[in-house]
Coordinates of all heavy atoms in Angstrom, one line a residue:
M1 N 0.8 -1.2 0.0 CA 0.0 0.0 0.0 C 0.9 1.2 0.0 O 1.9 1.3 0.6 CB -0.9 0.0 1.2 CG -1.8 1.2 1.3 SD -3.0 1.0 2.7 CE -4.4 1.6 1.9
K2 N 0.4 2.2 -0.7 CA 1.2 3.5 -0.8 C 1.2 4.3 0.5 O 0.2 4.2 1.2 CB 0.6 4.4 -1.9 CG 0.8 4.0 -3.3 CD 0.2 5.0 -4.2 CE 0.2 4.6 -5.7 NZ -0.4 5.6 -6.5
Q3 N 2.3 5.0 0.7 CA 2.3 5.9 1.8 C 1.7 7.2 1.4 O 1.8 7.6 0.2 CB 3.8 6.1 2.2 CG 4.5 4.9 2.6 CD 4.5 4.7 4.1 OE1 4.4 5.7 4.9 NE2 4.5 3.5 4.6
G4 N 1.1 7.9 2.3 CA 0.5 9.2 1.9 C -0.9 9.3 2.4 O -1.5 8.3 2.9
Y5 N -1.5 10.5 2.2 CA -2.8 10.7 2.7 C -3.8 10.3 1.6 O -3.7 10.8 0.4 CB -3.0 12.2 3.0 CG -4.3 12.5 3.7 CD1 -4.3 12.6 5.1 CD2 -5.5 12.7 3.0 CE1 -5.5 12.9 5.8 CE2 -6.7 13.0 3.7 CZ -6.7 13.0 5.1 OH -7.8 13.3 5.8
P6 N -4.7 9.4 1.8 CA -5.6 8.8 0.8 C -6.5 9.9 0.2 O -7.2 10.6 1.0 CB -6.4 7.7 1.5 CG -5.6 7.4 2.7 CD -4.9 8.7 3.1
L7 N -6.6 10.0 -1.1 CA -7.5 11.0 -1.7 C -9.0 10.7 -1.3 O -9.8 11.6 -1.2 CB -7.4 11.0 -3.2 CG -6.2 11.8 -3.8 CD1 -6.3 11.6 -5.3 CD2 -6.3 13.2 -3.5
R8 N -9.3 9.4 -1.2 CA -10.7 9.1 -0.9 C -11.2 9.6 0.4 O -12.4 9.7 0.6 CB -10.8 7.5 -0.9 CG -10.2 6.8 0.2 CD -10.4 5.3 0.1 NE -9.7 4.6 1.2 CZ -8.4 4.3 1.1 NH1 -7.7 4.5 0.0 NH2 -7.8 3.7 2.2
E9 N -10.3 10.1 1.2 CA -10.7 10.7 2.5 C -10.9 12.2 2.4 O -11.2 12.8 3.4 CB -9.7 10.4 3.6 CG -9.6 8.9 3.9 CD -8.7 8.5 5.1 OE1 -8.3 9.4 5.8 OE2 -8.4 7.3 5.2
I10 N -10.7 12.8 1.2 CA -11.0 14.2 1.0 C -12.3 14.4 0.3 O -12.5 13.9 -0.8 CB -9.8 14.8 0.2 CG1 -8.5 14.6 0.9 CG2 -10.1 16.3 0.0 CD1 -7.3 15.0 0.2
S11 N -13.2 15.0 1.0 CA -14.6 15.1 0.5 C -14.7 15.8 -0.8 O -15.7 15.7 -1.5 CB -15.5 15.8 1.5 OG -15.1 17.1 1.8
A12 N -13.8 16.6 -1.2 CA -13.9 17.4 -2.5 C -13.8 16.5 -3.7 O -14.1 16.9 -4.8 CB -12.8 18.4 -2.5
F13 N -13.3 15.2 -3.5 CA -13.1 14.3 -4.6 C -14.3 13.4 -4.7 O -14.5 12.6 -3.8 CB -11.8 13.5 -4.4 CG -10.6 14.3 -4.7 CD1 -10.1 15.1 -3.6 CD2 -9.9 14.3 -5.9 CE1 -8.9 15.9 -3.9 CE2 -8.8 15.1 -6.1 CZ -8.3 15.9 -5.1
D14 N -15.0 13.4 -5.8 CA -16.1 12.5 -6.0 C -15.6 11.1 -6.5 O -14.4 11.0 -6.9 CB -17.2 13.1 -6.9 CG -16.7 13.4 -8.3 OD1 -15.8 12.7 -8.8 OD2 -17.3 14.3 -9.0
T15 N -16.5 10.2 -6.5 CA -16.1 8.8 -6.9 C -15.6 8.8 -8.4 O -14.5 8.1 -8.6 CB -17.3 7.8 -6.8 OG1 -17.7 7.9 -5.4 CG2 -16.9 6.4 -7.1
R16 N -16.2 9.5 -9.3 CA -15.7 9.5 -10.7 C -14.3 10.0 -10.8 O -13.4 9.4 -11.4 CB -16.7 10.3 -11.6 CG -16.3 10.3 -13.0 CD -17.0 11.3 -13.9 NE -16.7 12.7 -13.5 CZ -15.6 13.3 -13.9 NH1 -14.7 12.7 -14.7 NH2 -15.4 14.6 -13.5
T17 N -14.0 11.1 -10.1 CA -12.7 11.7 -10.1 C -11.7 10.8 -9.5 O -10.6 10.6 -10.0 CB -12.7 13.1 -9.4 OG1 -13.7 13.9 -10.0 CG2 -11.3 13.7 -9.3
L18 N -12.0 10.2 -8.4 CA -11.1 9.2 -7.7 C -10.8 8.0 -8.6 O -9.6 7.6 -8.7 CB -11.7 8.7 -6.4 CG -11.8 9.7 -5.3 CD1 -12.7 9.2 -4.1 CD2 -10.4 10.2 -4.8
N19 N -11.8 7.5 -9.3 CA -11.6 6.4 -10.2 C -10.7 6.8 -11.4 O -9.9 6.0 -11.8 CB -12.9 5.8 -10.6 CG -13.7 5.1 -9.5 OD1 -13.1 4.7 -8.5 ND2 -15.0 4.9 -9.7
T20 N -11.0 7.9 -11.9 CA -10.2 8.4 -13.1 C -8.7 8.5 -12.7 O -7.8 8.1 -13.4 CB -10.8 9.7 -13.6 OG1 -12.1 9.5 -14.1 CG2 -9.9 10.2 -14.8
L21 N -8.5 9.2 -11.6 CA -7.1 9.4 -11.1 C -6.4 8.1 -10.9 O -5.3 7.9 -11.3 CB -7.1 10.3 -9.9 CG -7.5 11.7 -10.1 CD1 -7.7 12.4 -8.8 CD2 -6.4 12.4 -10.9
R22 N -7.1 7.1 -10.2 CA -6.6 5.8 -9.9 C -6.3 5.0 -11.2 O -5.2 4.5 -11.4 CB -7.5 5.1 -9.0 CG -6.9 3.7 -8.6 CD -8.0 2.8 -8.0 NE -9.0 2.5 -9.1 CZ -10.3 2.4 -8.9 NH1 -10.8 2.6 -7.6 NH2 -11.1 2.2 -9.9
D23 N -7.3 5.0 -12.1 CA -7.2 4.1 -13.2 C -6.3 4.6 -14.3 O -5.6 3.9 -15.0 CB -8.6 3.8 -13.8 CG -9.5 3.1 -12.8 OD1 -9.0 2.5 -11.9 OD2 -10.7 3.1 -13.1
R24 N -6.3 5.9 -14.5 CA -5.5 6.5 -15.6 C -4.1 6.9 -15.2 O -3.2 6.9 -16.0 CB -6.3 7.7 -16.2 CG -7.7 7.4 -16.8 CD -7.7 6.7 -18.1 NE -7.0 7.4 -19.1 CZ -7.5 8.3 -19.9 NH1 -8.7 8.7 -19.8 NH2 -6.7 8.9 -20.8
L25 N -3.9 7.3 -14.0 CA -2.6 7.9 -13.5 C -2.0 7.1 -12.4 O -0.9 7.4 -12.0 CB -2.8 9.4 -13.2 CG -3.3 10.3 -14.2 CD1 -3.4 11.7 -13.6 CD2 -2.3 10.3 -15.4
S26 N -2.7 6.2 -11.8 CA -2.3 5.5 -10.5 C -2.1 6.5 -9.4 O -1.2 6.3 -8.5 CB -1.0 4.7 -10.8 OG -1.3 3.7 -11.7
V27 N -2.8 7.6 -9.4 CA -2.8 8.6 -8.4 C -3.8 8.3 -7.3 O -5.0 8.3 -7.7 CB -2.9 10.0 -9.0 CG1 -3.2 11.1 -7.9 CG2 -1.7 10.4 -9.8
T28 N -3.4 8.0 -6.1 CA -4.4 7.7 -5.1 C -4.1 8.4 -3.8 O -4.8 8.3 -2.8 CB -4.3 6.2 -4.7 OG1 -3.0 5.8 -4.3 CG2 -4.8 5.3 -5.9
T29 N -3.0 9.2 -3.7 CA -2.7 10.0 -2.5 C -2.8 11.5 -2.8 O -2.6 11.9 -3.9 CB -1.3 9.6 -2.0 OG1 -0.3 10.1 -2.8 CG2 -1.1 8.1 -1.7
A30 N -3.0 12.2 -1.7 CA -3.1 13.7 -1.8 C -1.8 14.2 -2.3 O -1.7 15.2 -3.2 CB -3.4 14.3 -0.5
E31 N -0.7 13.7 -1.9 CA 0.6 14.2 -2.3 C 0.9 14.0 -3.8 O 1.4 14.9 -4.5 CB 1.7 13.4 -1.5 CG 1.7 13.7 0.0 CD 0.8 12.8 0.8 OE1 0.0 12.1 0.2 OE2 0.8 12.9 2.0
E32 N 0.5 12.8 -4.3 CA 0.6 12.6 -5.7 C -0.3 13.5 -6.5 O 0.2 14.0 -7.6 CB 0.2 11.1 -6.0 CG 1.1 10.1 -5.5 CD 0.6 8.7 -5.7 OE1 -0.7 8.5 -5.6 OE2 1.4 7.8 -5.9
F33 N -1.5 13.7 -6.1 CA -2.4 14.6 -6.8 C -1.8 16.0 -6.8 O -1.8 16.7 -7.9 CB -3.8 14.7 -6.2 CG -4.6 15.7 -6.9 CD1 -5.3 15.3 -8.1 CD2 -4.8 16.9 -6.4 CE1 -6.1 16.2 -8.8 CE2 -5.6 17.9 -7.1 CZ -6.2 17.5 -8.3
L34 N -1.4 16.5 -5.7 CA -0.9 17.9 -5.6 C 0.3 18.1 -6.6 O 0.4 19.1 -7.3 CB -0.5 18.3 -4.2 CG -0.3 19.7 -3.9 CD1 -1.5 20.6 -4.3 CD2 0.0 20.0 -2.4
H35 N 1.3 17.2 -6.5 CA 2.4 17.2 -7.4 C 2.0 17.2 -8.9 O 2.5 18.0 -9.7 CB 3.4 16.1 -7.1 CG 4.5 16.0 -8.1 ND1 5.5 16.9 -8.2 CD2 4.7 15.2 -9.1 CE1 6.3 16.6 -9.2 NE2 5.9 15.6 -9.8
T36 N 1.2 16.3 -9.2 CA 0.7 16.1 -10.6 C -0.1 17.3 -11.1 O 0.1 17.8 -12.2 CB -0.1 14.8 -10.8 OG1 0.7 13.7 -10.3 CG2 -0.4 14.5 -12.3
A37 N -1.0 17.8 -10.3 CA -1.8 18.9 -10.7 C -0.9 20.2 -10.9 O -1.2 21.0 -11.7 CB -2.9 19.2 -9.6
K38 N 0.1 20.3 -10.1 CA 1.0 21.5 -10.2 C 1.9 21.3 -11.5 O 2.0 22.3 -12.3 CB 2.0 21.6 -9.0 CG 2.9 22.8 -9.2 CD 4.0 22.8 -8.1 CE 4.8 24.1 -8.2 NZ 6.1 23.9 -8.9
A39 N 2.4 20.1 -11.7 CA 3.2 19.9 -12.9 C 2.5 19.9 -14.2 O 3.0 20.4 -15.2 CB 4.0 18.6 -12.7
F40 N 1.2 19.4 -14.2 CA 0.5 19.3 -15.5 C -1.0 19.8 -15.3 O -1.9 19.0 -15.4 CB 0.4 17.8 -15.9 CG 1.8 17.2 -16.0 CD1 2.3 16.4 -15.0 CD2 2.6 17.5 -17.1 CE1 3.6 15.8 -15.1 CE2 3.9 16.9 -17.2 CZ 4.4 16.1 -16.2
P41 N -1.2 21.1 -15.0 CA -2.5 21.5 -14.7 C -3.5 21.4 -15.8 O -4.7 21.1 -15.7 CB -2.3 23.0 -14.2 CG -1.0 23.4 -14.8 CD -0.2 22.1 -14.9
D42 N -3.0 21.7 -17.0 CA -3.9 21.7 -18.2 C -4.3 20.2 -18.5 O -5.5 20.0 -18.8 CB -3.3 22.3 -19.4 CG -3.0 23.8 -19.2 OD1 -3.8 24.4 -18.4 OD2 -2.1 24.4 -19.8
E43 N -3.4 19.4 -18.5 CA -3.6 17.9 -18.7 C -4.6 17.4 -17.7 O -5.5 16.6 -18.0 CB -2.3 17.1 -18.8 CG -1.4 17.5 -19.9 CD -0.5 18.7 -19.7 OE1 -0.7 19.4 -18.7 OE2 0.3 18.9 -20.6
M44 N -4.4 17.8 -16.4 CA -5.3 17.3 -15.3 C -6.7 17.8 -15.6 O -7.6 17.0 -15.4 CB -4.8 17.8 -14.0 CG -5.5 17.3 -12.8 SD -5.4 15.5 -12.5 CE -3.8 15.4 -11.8
S45 N -6.8 19.0 -16.0 CA -8.1 19.6 -16.3 C -8.8 18.8 -17.4 O -10.0 18.4 -17.3 CB -8.0 21.1 -16.7 OG -9.2 21.6 -17.1
R46 N -8.1 18.5 -18.5 CA -8.7 17.7 -19.6 C -9.0 16.3 -19.1 O -10.1 15.8 -19.5 CB -7.7 17.7 -20.8 CG -7.7 19.0 -21.5 CD -7.0 18.8 -22.9 NE -5.6 18.5 -22.8 CZ -4.6 19.4 -22.6 NH1 -4.9 20.7 -22.5 NH2 -3.4 19.0 -22.5
L47 N -8.1 15.7 -18.4 CA -8.4 14.3 -18.0 C -9.6 14.2 -17.1 O -10.4 13.3 -17.3 CB -7.2 13.8 -17.2 CG -7.3 12.4 -16.6 CD1 -7.4 11.3 -17.7 CD2 -6.2 12.1 -15.6
L48 N -9.8 15.1 -16.2 CA -10.9 15.1 -15.3 C -12.2 15.7 -15.9 O -13.2 15.7 -15.3 CB -10.6 15.7 -14.0 CG -9.4 15.1 -13.2 CD1 -9.1 15.9 -11.9 CD2 -9.7 13.6 -12.9
A49 N -12.0 16.3 -17.1 CA -13.1 17.0 -17.8 C -13.7 18.1 -16.9 O -15.0 18.2 -16.7 CB -14.2 16.0 -18.2
I50 N -12.9 18.9 -16.3 CA -13.3 20.0 -15.4 C -12.5 21.2 -15.8 O -11.5 21.2 -16.4 CB -13.1 19.7 -13.9 CG1 -11.6 19.5 -13.5 CG2 -14.0 18.6 -13.5 CD1 -11.4 19.3 -12.1
D51 N -13.1 22.4 -15.5 CA -12.5 23.7 -15.7 C -11.1 23.7 -14.9 O -11.0 23.1 -13.8 CB -13.4 24.7 -15.2 CG -13.0 26.1 -15.5 OD1 -12.2 26.7 -14.7 OD2 -13.4 26.6 -16.6
P52 N -10.2 24.4 -15.4 CA -8.9 24.6 -14.7 C -9.1 25.1 -13.3 O -8.3 24.8 -12.4 CB -8.1 25.6 -15.5 CG -8.6 25.4 -16.9 CD -10.1 25.1 -16.8
R53 N -10.1 25.9 -13.1 CA -10.4 26.4 -11.7 C -10.8 25.3 -10.8 O -10.6 25.3 -9.6 CB -11.5 27.5 -11.8 CG -10.9 28.8 -12.4 CD -12.0 29.8 -12.5 NE -13.0 29.3 -13.5 CZ -13.9 30.0 -14.1 NH1 -13.9 31.3 -13.9 NH2 -14.7 29.4 -15.0
G54 N -11.4 24.2 -11.4 CA -11.8 23.0 -10.6 C -10.5 22.3 -10.1 O -10.5 21.8 -9.0
V55 N -9.5 22.2 -10.9 CA -8.2 21.6 -10.5 C -7.6 22.4 -9.4 O -7.1 21.9 -8.4 CB -7.3 21.5 -11.7 CG1 -5.9 21.0 -11.3 CG2 -7.9 20.6 -12.8
T56 N -7.7 23.8 -9.6 CA -7.2 24.6 -8.5 C -7.9 24.4 -7.2 O -7.3 24.4 -6.1 CB -7.3 26.1 -8.9 OG1 -6.5 26.3 -10.1 CG2 -6.8 27.1 -7.9
A57 N -9.2 24.3 -7.3 CA -10.0 24.1 -6.1 C -9.7 22.7 -5.4 O -9.6 22.6 -4.2 CB -11.5 24.1 -6.4
L58 N -9.5 21.7 -6.2 CA -9.1 20.4 -5.7 C -7.7 20.5 -5.0 O -7.5 19.9 -4.0 CB -9.1 19.3 -6.8 CG -10.5 18.9 -7.3 CD1 -10.3 18.0 -8.5 CD2 -11.3 18.2 -6.2
S59 N -6.8 21.2 -5.7 CA -5.5 21.4 -5.1 C -5.5 22.1 -3.8 O -4.8 21.8 -2.9 CB -4.6 22.1 -6.1 OG -4.4 21.4 -7.3
R60 N -6.4 23.1 -3.7 CA -6.5 23.8 -2.4 C -7.1 22.9 -1.3 O -6.7 23.0 -0.2 CB -7.4 25.0 -2.6 CG -6.8 26.2 -3.3 CD -7.6 27.4 -3.3 NE -7.0 28.5 -4.1 CZ -7.6 29.2 -5.0 NH1 -8.9 29.1 -5.2 NH2 -6.9 30.1 -5.7
A61 N -8.1 22.1 -1.7 CA -8.6 21.1 -0.7 C -7.5 20.2 -0.2 O -7.4 19.9 1.0 CB -9.8 20.4 -1.3
V62 N -6.7 19.7 -1.1 CA -5.6 18.8 -0.8 C -4.6 19.6 0.1 O -4.2 19.0 1.2 CB -4.9 18.3 -2.0 CG1 -3.6 17.6 -1.7 CG2 -5.8 17.3 -2.7
A63 N -4.2 20.8 -0.3 CA -3.2 21.5 0.5 C -3.7 21.8 1.9 O -3.0 21.8 2.9 CB -2.9 22.9 -0.2
T64 N -5.0 22.1 2.1 CA -5.6 22.3 3.4 C -5.5 21.0 4.3 O -5.1 21.1 5.4 CB -7.1 22.7 3.3 OG1 -7.2 23.9 2.5 CG2 -7.7 22.9 4.6
V65 N -5.8 19.9 3.7 CA -5.7 18.6 4.4 C -4.2 18.3 4.8 O -3.9 17.9 5.9 CB -6.3 17.5 3.6 CG1 -6.0 16.1 4.2 CG2 -7.8 17.7 3.5
L66 N -3.3 18.5 3.9 CA -1.9 18.2 4.1 C -1.2 19.2 5.1 O -0.3 18.8 5.7 CB -1.1 18.2 2.8 CG -1.5 17.0 1.8 CD1 -0.6 17.2 0.6 CD2 -1.3 15.7 2.5
G67 N -1.7 20.4 5.1 CA -1.1 21.4 5.9 C 0.0 22.2 5.1 O 0.4 21.8 4.1
H68 N 0.3 23.4 5.7 CA 1.2 24.3 5.0 C 2.6 23.7 4.7 O 3.1 23.8 3.6 CB 1.3 25.6 5.7 CG 2.2 26.6 5.1 ND1 1.9 27.3 4.0 CD2 3.5 27.0 5.4 CE1 2.9 28.1 3.6 NE2 3.9 27.9 4.4
E69 N 3.2 23.1 5.7 CA 4.6 22.6 5.5 C 4.7 21.6 4.4 O 5.5 21.6 3.5 CB 5.1 22.1 6.8 CG 6.6 21.8 6.8 CD 7.1 21.5 8.2 OE1 6.7 22.1 9.2 OE2 8.0 20.6 8.2
A70 N 3.8 20.6 4.5 CA 3.8 19.5 3.5 C 3.5 20.0 2.1 O 4.1 19.6 1.2 CB 2.9 18.3 4.0
S71 N 2.5 20.8 2.1 CA 2.1 21.4 0.7 C 3.2 22.2 0.1 O 3.5 22.1 -1.1 CB 0.9 22.3 0.9 OG -0.2 21.5 1.3
E72 N 3.9 23.0 0.9 CA 5.0 23.8 0.4 C 6.1 23.0 -0.1 O 6.8 23.3 -1.1 CB 5.5 24.8 1.5 CG 4.7 26.1 1.6 CD 4.7 26.9 0.3 OE1 5.8 27.2 -0.2 OE2 3.6 27.2 -0.2
A73 N 6.4 21.9 0.6 CA 7.5 21.0 0.2 C 7.2 20.4 -1.2 O 8.1 20.1 -1.9 CB 7.7 19.9 1.2
I74 N 5.9 20.2 -1.5 CA 5.5 19.6 -2.8 C 5.5 20.7 -3.8 O 6.0 20.5 -4.9 CB 4.2 18.9 -2.7 CG1 4.3 17.7 -1.8 CG2 3.6 18.5 -4.0 CD1 2.9 17.1 -1.3
L75 N 4.9 21.8 -3.5 CA 4.7 22.9 -4.5 C 5.9 23.7 -4.8 O 6.1 24.2 -5.9 CB 3.6 23.8 -4.0 CG 2.2 23.2 -3.9 CD1 1.2 24.1 -3.2 CD2 1.7 22.7 -5.3
N76 N 6.8 23.8 -3.8 CA 8.0 24.6 -3.9 C 9.2 23.8 -3.3 O 9.8 24.2 -2.3 CB 7.9 26.0 -3.2 CG 6.7 26.8 -3.8 OD1 6.7 27.0 -5.0 ND2 5.8 27.1 -3.0
P77 N 9.6 22.7 -4.0 CA 10.7 21.9 -3.4 C 12.0 22.7 -3.5 O 12.2 23.6 -4.3 CB 10.7 20.7 -4.3 CG 10.1 21.2 -5.6 CD 9.1 22.2 -5.2
P78 N 12.9 22.4 -2.5 CA 14.2 23.1 -2.5 C 15.0 22.7 -3.8 O 14.8 21.6 -4.3 CB 14.9 22.6 -1.3 CG 14.2 21.3 -0.9 CD 12.8 21.4 -1.5
A79 N 15.8 23.6 -4.2 CA 16.6 23.3 -5.4 C 17.7 22.3 -5.1 O 18.2 22.2 -3.9 CB 17.3 24.6 -5.9
V80 N 18.0 21.5 -6.0 CA 19.0 20.4 -5.9 C 20.3 20.9 -6.6 O 20.2 21.1 -7.8 CB 18.5 19.1 -6.4 CG1 19.6 18.0 -6.3 CG2 17.3 18.6 -5.6
D81 N 21.4 21.0 -5.9 CA 22.6 21.5 -6.5 C 23.4 20.3 -7.1 O 24.2 20.5 -8.0 CB 23.5 22.1 -5.5 CG 22.9 23.4 -4.9 OD1 22.1 24.0 -5.6 OD2 23.4 23.8 -3.8
Y82 N 23.1 19.1 -6.7 CA 23.9 18.0 -7.1 C 23.2 17.4 -8.4 O 22.1 16.9 -8.3 CB 23.9 16.9 -6.0 CG 24.9 15.8 -6.2 CD1 26.2 16.1 -6.2 CD2 24.4 14.5 -6.4 CE1 27.1 15.0 -6.4 CE2 25.3 13.5 -6.6 CZ 26.7 13.7 -6.6 OH 27.6 12.7 -6.8
P83 N 23.9 17.4 -9.5 CA 23.3 16.9 -10.8 C 23.2 15.4 -10.9 O 22.4 14.9 -11.7 CB 24.3 17.5 -11.8 CG 25.6 17.5 -11.1 CD 25.3 17.9 -9.7
F84 N 23.9 14.6 -10.1 CA 23.9 13.2 -10.2 C 23.0 12.7 -9.0 O 23.6 12.3 -8.0 CB 25.3 12.6 -10.2 CG 26.1 13.0 -11.4 CD1 26.9 14.1 -11.4 CD2 25.9 12.3 -12.6 CE1 27.6 14.5 -12.5 CE2 26.6 12.7 -13.7 CZ 27.4 13.8 -13.7
R85 N 21.7 12.6 -9.2 CA 20.8 12.4 -8.1 C 20.8 10.9 -7.7 O 20.0 10.5 -6.8 CB 19.4 12.8 -8.5 CG 19.4 14.3 -8.7 CD 18.1 14.9 -9.1 NE 18.2 16.3 -9.4 CZ 17.3 17.1 -9.6 NH1 16.0 16.6 -9.6 NH2 17.5 18.3 -9.9
T86 N 21.6 10.1 -8.4 CA 21.6 8.7 -8.0 C 22.5 8.5 -6.7 O 22.5 7.4 -6.1 CB 22.2 7.8 -9.1 OG1 23.6 8.3 -9.4 CG2 21.4 7.9 -10.4
G87 N 23.2 9.5 -6.3 CA 24.1 9.4 -5.2 C 25.5 9.1 -5.6 O 26.4 9.0 -4.7
H88 N 25.7 8.9 -6.9 CA 27.1 8.7 -7.4 C 27.8 9.9 -7.8 O 27.1 10.9 -8.2 CB 27.0 7.7 -8.5 CG 26.5 6.3 -8.1 ND1 27.2 5.4 -7.4 CD2 25.2 5.8 -8.3 CE1 26.4 4.3 -7.2 NE2 25.2 4.6 -7.7
D89 N 29.1 9.9 -7.8 CA 29.8 11.0 -8.4 C 29.9 11.0 -9.9 O 29.6 9.9 -10.5 CB 31.3 11.0 -7.8 CG 31.3 11.4 -6.3 OD1 30.4 12.2 -5.9 OD2 32.1 10.9 -5.6
A90 N 30.3 12.1 -10.5 CA 30.4 12.1 -12.0 C 31.4 11.1 -12.4 O 32.4 10.9 -11.7 CB 30.8 13.5 -12.4
P91 N 31.2 10.5 -13.5 CA 32.2 9.5 -14.0 C 33.6 10.2 -14.3 O 33.6 11.4 -14.7 CB 31.6 9.1 -15.4 CG 30.2 9.4 -15.3 CD 30.1 10.6 -14.4
A92 N 34.6 9.5 -14.0 CA 36.0 10.1 -14.1 C 36.2 10.5 -15.6 O 35.8 9.8 -16.5 CB 37.0 9.1 -13.7
G93 N 36.8 11.6 -15.8 CA 37.2 12.1 -17.1 C 36.1 12.7 -17.9 O 36.2 13.0 -19.1
T94 N 34.9 13.0 -17.3 CA 33.8 13.6 -18.0 C 34.0 15.1 -18.0 O 33.2 15.8 -18.8 CB 32.5 13.3 -17.4 OG1 32.4 13.8 -16.1 CG2 32.2 11.8 -17.5
G95 N 34.8 15.7 -17.2 CA 35.0 17.1 -17.2 C 33.9 17.8 -16.3 O 33.9 19.0 -16.2
T96 N 33.1 17.0 -15.8 CA 32.0 17.5 -14.9 C 32.6 17.7 -13.5 O 33.1 16.8 -12.9 CB 30.8 16.6 -14.9 OG1 30.4 16.4 -16.2 CG2 29.7 17.2 -14.1
T97 N 32.4 18.9 -13.0 CA 32.8 19.2 -11.6 C 31.7 19.7 -10.8 O 30.7 20.2 -11.4 CB 34.0 20.2 -11.6 OG1 33.5 21.4 -12.2 CG2 35.2 19.7 -12.3
L98 N 31.8 19.6 -9.6 CA 30.7 20.0 -8.7 C 31.1 21.3 -8.0 O 32.1 21.6 -7.7 CB 30.3 19.0 -7.7 CG 29.8 17.7 -8.3 CD1 29.5 16.7 -7.2 CD2 28.5 17.9 -9.1

């Protein structure tokens, strides 16, 4: 089972929306929805067949449930200075320096 706040527990999401998100995107948590809606607002609007303001309203409902700190971490993540996010250093001889 996924970690995160279940979307089904947020009253702003109706059954049709929950099923569409689950079946088409495998999105079942509030955190996943907030990230996806921020990254792809127009596509989310089309997928759910709702006005973009509806996506904004759903995002606000999710942000309220998650709280300010968790929402901010998703909506405005800190910049990553390290280009090799696998945890490995740059290959020797690539000329890449940190």
Side-chain angles (χ1 to χ4, degrees):
M1 180 174 221
K2 288 184 186 179
Q3 298 266 331
Y5 194 94
L7 278 180
R8 69 180 178 273
E9 293 185 16
I10 302 174
S11 62
F13 289 83
D14 61 29
T15 302
R16 183 190 66 78
T17 301
L18 290 170
N19 290 342
T20 300
L21 290 168
R22 182 197 63 218
D23 296 344
R24 300 286 302 275
L25 300 177
S26 295
V27 168
T28 59
T29 69
E31 294 85 353
E32 291 171 328
F33 176 82
L34 194 57
H35 171 73
T36 306
K38 179 187 187 261
F40 307 101
D42 296 332
E43 292 84 351
M44 184 68 76
S45 175
R46 283 193 298 276
L47 175 69
L48 299 178
I50 60 175
D51 186 271
R53 290 176 294 201
V55 174
T56 300
L58 290 173
S59 295
R60 284 189 185 132
V62 166
T64 298
V65 169
L66 292 179
H68 179 74
E69 189 174 322
S71 296
E72 278 298 306
I74 294 167
L75 296 172
N76 300 302
V80 176
D81 295 340
Y82 191 67
F84 297 94
R85 296 179 188 186
T86 61
H88 298 283
D89 290 327
T94 62
T96 305
T97 59
L98 300 177

